[in-house]
Structures are given as C-alpha cells and as structure tokens.
Amino acid sequence: MYFTATSPYILMFVLLIRGVTLDGAIDGIKYYLLPDWSKLAETQVWVDAGTQIFFSYSISLGTLTALGSYNKFHHNCYRDTVVFAAVNSGTSFLAGFVTFSVLGFMAKQQNVDISVVAESGPGLAFIAYPEAVAQMPVAPLWSVLFFCMIILLGLDSQFVGVEGFVTAIVDLKPHLFRQGHRRELLILGVCTLSFGIGLSMVTEGGMYVFQLFDYYSASRIVLIVAFFECIVVAYIYGINRFYDNIQMMLGFRPGPFIKIAWCILTPIFTLTIFIMGTISYSELTYKRKLVTYTYPTWAIGIGWCMALVSIVFIPIVMVFKLLKAKGSFKTRITELLKPRLQRHQLRENEDISKVHILDDIYQSNSATEAMNSIEKIPMTNEYTPDGEEA
C-alpha cells in the first residue's frame, strides 16, 4: 500500500509537467476550470455528482467500516476523516489538470473544440486520453507511465474493496475462517472470481460489459443504503449515544454540525438525489462519437438484478429477524432495536435493560455453549478501551 498509494502521485506529477508544456494545454485547462453554470439546472448533473462522491469516498460500501475496525480504540478517526476527504478531492482536482491539459493538446492538433475530443465516463481514461497520448512526442513512454498509474490506482482500490468484503465474511464466521490459512484461501477465491468477471471486460466488446456494471451495480442505489445507515444510527441507535461513543474513543465531542448532518442534512440529501435520479432515469445507452448503442432488454434485466442485490437484503434480513425472534410483534420489534454492545462500549450510568451485552457469552461455563453463542451473532474486531487488541 505504501508503494501503490504514493507512486501514482509521482507519475501524475510527471504527466502533469509534460501535459502543461504541450501546445494547446492552456485551452484544455480553461475548459476544465471555467464551468458552464447552466448545467446546474440539469438533474442528472446533481445525481452524477452525488453518486460519484459516494463511490470516490467509499461511503456506505462497507470498506471504511472494515478498515476502521482494525484501529485501536482511541485512534483519532475524526482527524483521519478530514485528511481523507481533503486528499481524496484534492487528488481528483489534480487529476483534472493532468487530463485536460493533454486533451487541449489533442483538440489543437485536430483543430476541433475540446468538447469533441473529451468523452464522458470510462471512455475518457481508456479511449480519449490514450488517443491524445499517442499523438505526443515519445508516445510509448507517456503511454507506459499513464497505464502504470492506472494499474496502481486500480490495485489500490482492489486492496480496499477485497479487504472490506473479506473482513465482513471472516468476522461473521470467525470460528470457520480464523484457522490456519483459511482467510488467505478466501481472499484467493474472491480474487479469482473477480478476475474471471474482469476478463469479460477486456474482450473486444468488453467496454459494453463494463458500462453495464458501471451503470447498474455501481449505481445510485448506494444512496438508499446511506439513507438507511443514517436513519439507523441517528434515530434507532440514537445520535446522543453515538456521540457519547465518539467521546469515549476520542476524548472530545465533535461540533454540533455533524449531528445536524447525520440527523437531517445527509438523509434529506441522499433521498433527494435518489428521487431525482429515479425521475430522470433512462435506459442504458453507450454513446460513441459516431454511433449510440442501445442495450437489449435482457441486458437491462441483468443490470437491474445487479443493482437490486445491493439493497434487497435490507428488507429480507429485517423480515428474517422478525420471524426468528420470540414473543409478540411489539416485543420482537423492541428487542431487535436494542443496541448490541460489548462491555467496554457501555456508557456511564447505562440503562442495561435497553441494551444487549455481547460480552456475557464469554462467561458461559461450557466452551461449546460459548462457541454456539458466538455463531449466532455478527462478530466485529474487538478492542479494549486501552487501545490493545482483545
């Protein structure tokens, strides 16, 4: 990670220096920095921007939660959040200069407007930019540097994505995967499956497959997941309890704005963007310079299956938990809404009747009984208040 996370910046600065020295680069940079304010009136612009930020920051995808679970109890995650957001958006802003300086050169060479050579979506990185690089002096060198940067960035994303998924599976069944090299074998299986799916995207028609995955599986459905996360944390778990937990870890309480954001602003934003996206929804098409490809009905069906699989388990698990619980319907709801906490997560003067204490399973007289109890609850990486691994 130290190599794959830092080396793209070196390559990016090299490409930037080369790009800004090309003839026409200033036109590309102007096109990049001078906005068309009329676009703000288009619904799709807001939907695309909101969705892009969520995926760029890996919000509601589980990866930040998985990686954060390895932190020590008193780790300053508040500071990390601010740094992460600044570096992430700063990198995107810098990458824009790298891209549009070269596109300005390409437009100047072809004597056309920059909007003609600039493609949207993945076509920008994999079609338009390589075409521009091919017209530069010593083109093979710059092509190698560019695609090395793309590969390293892709590896970075995969490290995080795979780790997030694997951590969730391992924590769910620790007795099964925390033995020998089973965790490594699980990672091998996940990577092999992903590699097989990825091969379909590097065939001659691979870009059409990629667009299908990008449009549906990496869709605005994530906004709904974020909406439910905010509702659960703010109103079911309790925003004040969550703030108390943060104070236990950090030693201070964040400002009131974050509380307002979690309770009001973020749920409204995510739900509004999702509704706007639903209203402006159109079937997937792949626009090239000379032709527009319309996807067949069966492909659209596959796309919707990929989109819904991200959210359909929210109501399914809810119904399953209700059916599995005991007592009247009201009792089941009450019991299921209680936070499931370990002892070091309890606040001072905590009302024990309103929480489920997970640590009690370790006090069982029977080892087999304890293991059976562990299997019935989702496990997380446990940390004691002094910051050492439990």
Side-chain angles (χ1 to χ4, degrees), residues 22-298:
L22 294 170
D23 185 29
I26 188 65
D27 297 325
I29 293 175
K30 285 181 179 179
Y31 182 83
Y32 172 51
L33 294 179
L34 299 178
D36 179 2
W37 296 106
S38 63
K39 293 290 184 179
L40 293 179
E42 297 180 13
T43 302
Q44 194 60 37
V45 170
W46 290 93
V47 173
D48 289 343
T51 305
Q52 171 61 26
I53 284 295
F54 268 74
F55 277 95
S56 178
Y57 281 36
S58 297
I59 301 174
S60 301
L61 301 181
T63 53
L64 293 178
T65 307
L67 297 179
S69 69
Y70 289 99
N71 285 332
K72 294 182 178 180
F73 189 83
H74 293 296
H75 180 76
N76 192 344
C77 57
Y78 185 79
R79 175 201 60 205
D80 287 357
T81 303
V82 176
V83 173
F84 170 70
V87 171
N88 194 308
S89 293
T91 301
S92 299
F93 187 61
L94 174 64
F97 287 95
V98 176
T99 302
F100 281 91
S101 60
V102 175
L103 292 181
F105 162 75
M106 184 178 179
K108 187 71 175 288
Q109 291 291 103
Q110 298 180 6
N111 198 27
V112 295
D113 189 75
I114 298 175
S115 60
V116 176
V117 299
E119 295 194 28
S120 62
L124 179 62
F126 297 110
I127 297 176
Y129 195 91
E131 284 181 0
V133 170
Q135 301 176 26
M136 294 165 55
V138 200
L141 171 63
W142 306 115
S143 295
V144 169
L145 289 177
F146 173 72
F147 282 106
C148 281
M149 180 182 71
I150 293 295
I151 290 172
L152 291 172
L153 290 172
L155 279 174
D156 247 358
S157 298
Q158 286 305 301
F159 288 155
V160 175
V162 171
E163 182 62 35
F165 177 76
V166 168
T167 297
I169 299 298
V170 172
D171 286 354
L172 192 62
K173 295 289 183 180
H175 62 286
L176 180 63
F177 291 107
R178 288 178 180 167
Q179 296 184 26
H181 296 287
R182 292 184 180 182
R183 188 180 191 278
E184 286 72 17
L185 291 174
L186 174 63
I187 295 174
L188 176 62
V190 171
C191 291
T192 303
L193 177 62
S194 300
F195 179 74
I197 296 173
L199 283 179
S200 66
M201 302 182 191
V202 295
T203 59
E204 186 173 353
M207 184 57 75
Y208 298 92
V209 179
F210 179 86
Q211 291 278 6
L212 190 66
F213 273 76
D214 183 62
Y215 191 78
Y216 287 101
S217 63
S219 68
R220 55 192 67 92
I221 292 293
V222 70
L223 296 169
I224 286 296
V225 178
F227 171 78
F228 281 115
E229 284 185 358
C230 284
I231 295 300
V232 168
V233 171
Y235 297 102
I236 297 179
Y237 182 77
I239 190 64
N240 291 326
R241 179 192 296 277
F242 195 53
Y243 252 60
D244 290 340
N245 294 151
I246 293 176
Q247 185 174 12
M248 289 165 60
M249 293 185 289
L250 304 183
F252 66 90
R253 297 174 75 86
F257 173 77
I258 297 181
K259 183 182 292 188
I260 296 172
W262 284 333
C263 292
I264 303 173
L265 299 182
T266 303
I268 291 177
F269 171 80
T270 52
L271 192 60
T272 301
I273 294 295
F274 177 77
I275 293 173
M276 291 169 62
T278 303
I279 294 173
S280 63
Y281 169 78
S282 60
E283 300 292 0
L284 175 62
T285 57
Y286 181 28
K287 296 181 181 179
R288 294 300 311 280
K289 293 179 180 178
L290 302 177
V291 66
T292 298
Y293 175 77
T294 302
Y295 282 74
T297 305
W298 63 266

